[in-house]
Amino acid sequence: MLPHTEADPRPLTGEPLAIDLLNTRWIDGAGHHDLLESLDGLAIWLGTPLVRQALGGTPAPVGQDTRERLRQARAALDEAVASPARPTPGAVEAVNAVLAHGRVRHVLGPEGPDVVVEVDDPSWLPAWAAVSDYLRLLAERPERIRSCGNPQCVLFFYDVSKNGTRRWCSMAGCGNRAKAQRHYARHNQP
């Protein structure tokens, strides 16, 4: 993997791997951004602690194949999160097309039972891991996979709040803007 020196520019990080992959696209005052638009952006994403941990320390190649496979996985997740409780046939097909490139194998290792992930090619590992993580989220709490309540925001989050009422990708960003807009509307009514 190529070393990267740039910081992750995304406004929301730290979500589960599947959601983090979705959030490689965002909108801010400067316009639309896509971290996977370049190999440098790919290196940034692959170098994040979340991704390194999810890949179990197995380095993924920073190349066009990895980038295209991640974009395929992100497109599949886009379709799937549109209706997580009831995925469309297209979403099911797209998710399964990515998952078909890897598998989990149970083995007995020196320390006891273990699980080994095998992929057709190392460039599939990050994409497969992200889509596999989505299945984990679906099994746990599919209703907690949400898009930001700001209609101009394209970010997603996995709501881990106690009562499950989170509405914004972040209170510092979209949540604050919504509060400011409500305040302005209340105090500037004719």
Side-chain angles (χ1 to χ4, degrees), residues 81-92:
V81 297
S83 57
R86 201 144 181 88
T88 66
V92 169

Side-chain angles (χ1 to χ4, degrees), residues 129-146:
V131 174
S132 179
D133 183 58
Y134 177 70
L135 295 184
R136 179 187 63 82
L137 297 176
L138 279 179
E140 287 178 7
R141 308 283 303 262
E143 74 281 1
R144 297 278 180 121
I145 301 168
R146 301 203 180 119

Side-chain angles (χ1 to χ4, degrees), residues 154-176:
V154 297
L155 297 175
F156 291 85
F157 60 90
Y158 187 68
D159 186 358
V160 294
S161 67
K162 186 175 181 178
N163 58 5
T165 59
R166 180 176 166 190
R167 295 179 51 206
W168 314 108
C169 61
S170 78
M171 274 311 292
C174 291
N176 234 4

